[in-house]
Amino acid sequence: GWLADQYHASADFQKLRPSTRGDYERIIRVIKTKWGDMPLRALEARGARTVLIDWRDEMRSTPRSADLHIAVLARIISWGKDREHVMRNPLERVGKLHGETRKDDVWLPSQIDKMLSDGAPHIANVVKVALWTMQRQSDVLSLATIAYDDGRLWITQGKTRARVRIRPADEILPLLDDARAAKRQRILVNSRGENWTASGFRASLRKEMARLGIRGVRFHDLRGTAITYAYARGVEIERI
């Protein structure tokens, strides 16, 4: 517990972003509860690495969270080693449980609300359509106005070449009706009223997310976000 308290009071900890400090403080409380009575010399003993990694593996059902817990502990010990409170860090070069996939990264409700409420309309509209159709960026940007007909929206998925027909959610009906009334080629256009290019949208989205302070997620994560929230609301997985 002492080493964790020292790190928490250090300049290294204070220079972290407020949101990061909040995450770290929560994890530090967990670490102190589990390892608060562990003597510093025990960290230098043979077998310490195994014991600590076993603790991480107890949380393997939530691999990203498990990796974050062990990473914070490793950072505390590394800080202590740098100041000669301990002579070695048993958690150097610890691997991760989760892979490189982002399947468990989702937009927080506050991030979605920020984008849809305060984002530039030509960008927020793309996000809204992606959320309510659960489609990939390229498929959303290429949606043709002619594909909306008789209350249904036809979507050709570029990755699988599958053609699916959906009933649009009420939340995006105004966008579809506006595109049809304006006789646009595509439903979604940029600030100049022109069809989006993939690179143009990526650059614009990146700038807008930075302006709004939305961090840690990407457009690609919207699809998983929509699926996650739909399932949480009780939509059967077969329908999703």
Side-chain angles (χ1 to χ4, degrees):
W2 179 86
L3 188 62
D5 288 338
Q6 293 300 304
Y7 171 71
H8 185 265
S10 71
D12 285 44
F13 179 81
Q14 295 303 319
K15 73 181 182 182
L16 296 172
R17 289 189 316 216
S19 59
T20 303
R21 288 202 304 269
D23 290 338
Y24 274 34
E25 285 173 341
R26 174 180 58 81
I27 292 173
I28 286 173
R29 288 194 293 270
V30 174
I31 290 171
K32 289 175 65 176
T33 299
K34 179 68 176 180
W35 305 110
D37 296 331
M38 187 179 192
L40 292 183
R41 62 179 180 275
L43 293 174
E44 302 170 354
R46 183 179 178 85
R49 182 181 178 91
T50 298
V51 170
L52 297 177
I53 291 178
D54 284 347
W55 170 64
R56 179 206 63 185
D57 291 350
E58 291 174 3
M59 299 178 278
R60 59 183 172 272
S61 61
T62 53
R64 291 185 65 84
S65 177
D67 288 340
L68 185 55
H69 278 69
I70 205 72
V72 172
L73 180 54
R75 186 161 188 167
I76 293 171
I77 300 173
S78 177
W79 178 87
K81 178 184 175 184
D82 190 51
R83 284 150 185 79
E84 298 184 333
H85 297 309
V86 292
M87 293 299 104
R88 83 179 188 99
N89 180 1
L91 293 178
E92 290 180 349
R93 297 184 297 279
V94 172
K96 294 182 177 181
L97 290 179
H98 83 281
E100 294 305 315
T101 178
R102 298 176 61 86
K103 65 182 180 180
D104 48 356
D105 287 346
V106 298
W107 287 53
L108 299 174
S110 59
Q111 293 174 318
I112 295 173
D113 290 343
K114 186 71 173 176
M115 174 59 75
L116 298 184
S117 300
D118 302 336
H122 59 289
I123 296 175
N125 287 343
V126 180
V127 171
K128 182 182 290 187
V129 172
L131 281 169
W132 287 103
T133 63
M134 301 184 187
Q135 301 302 308
R136 298 177 179 86
Q137 176 180 306
S138 59
D139 298 332
V140 170
L141 293 179
S142 62
L143 278 174
T145 303
I146 197 174
Y148 175 52
D149 183 54
D150 195 26
R152 297 290 192 274
L153 181 63
W154 283 98
I155 301 173
T156 301
Q157 299 177 328
K159 185 175 182 179
T160 63
R161 304 312 303 169
R163 195 162 184 255
V164 296
R165 190 185 188 204
I166 66 171
R167 180 187 293 275
D170 292 342
E171 285 76 4
I172 65 171
L173 286 178
L175 298 176
L176 302 178
D177 291 335
D178 286 348
R180 186 161 56 184
K183 298 181 179 180
R184 292 199 298 266
Q185 178 190 17
R186 292 184 184 174
I187 293 169
L188 298 163
V189 293
N190 61 24
S191 60
R192 298 184 299 276
E194 301 171 349
N195 292 340
W196 281 108
T197 64
S199 59
F201 177 73
R202 284 195 298 269
S204 296
L205 178 67
R206 184 168 56 250
K207 293 176 182 177
E208 189 67 358
M209 290 178 68
R211 184 182 73 83
L212 296 173
I214 299 175
R215 302 182 179 87
V217 289
R218 302 181 303 180
F219 187 94
H220 175 73
D221 301 322
L222 287 169
R223 193 163 187 251
T225 297
I227 292 171
T228 298
Y229 290 163
Y231 186 65
R233 290 195 302 269
V235 179
E236 295 178 357
I237 195 66
E238 289 81 4
R239 288 189 59 198
I240 299 174

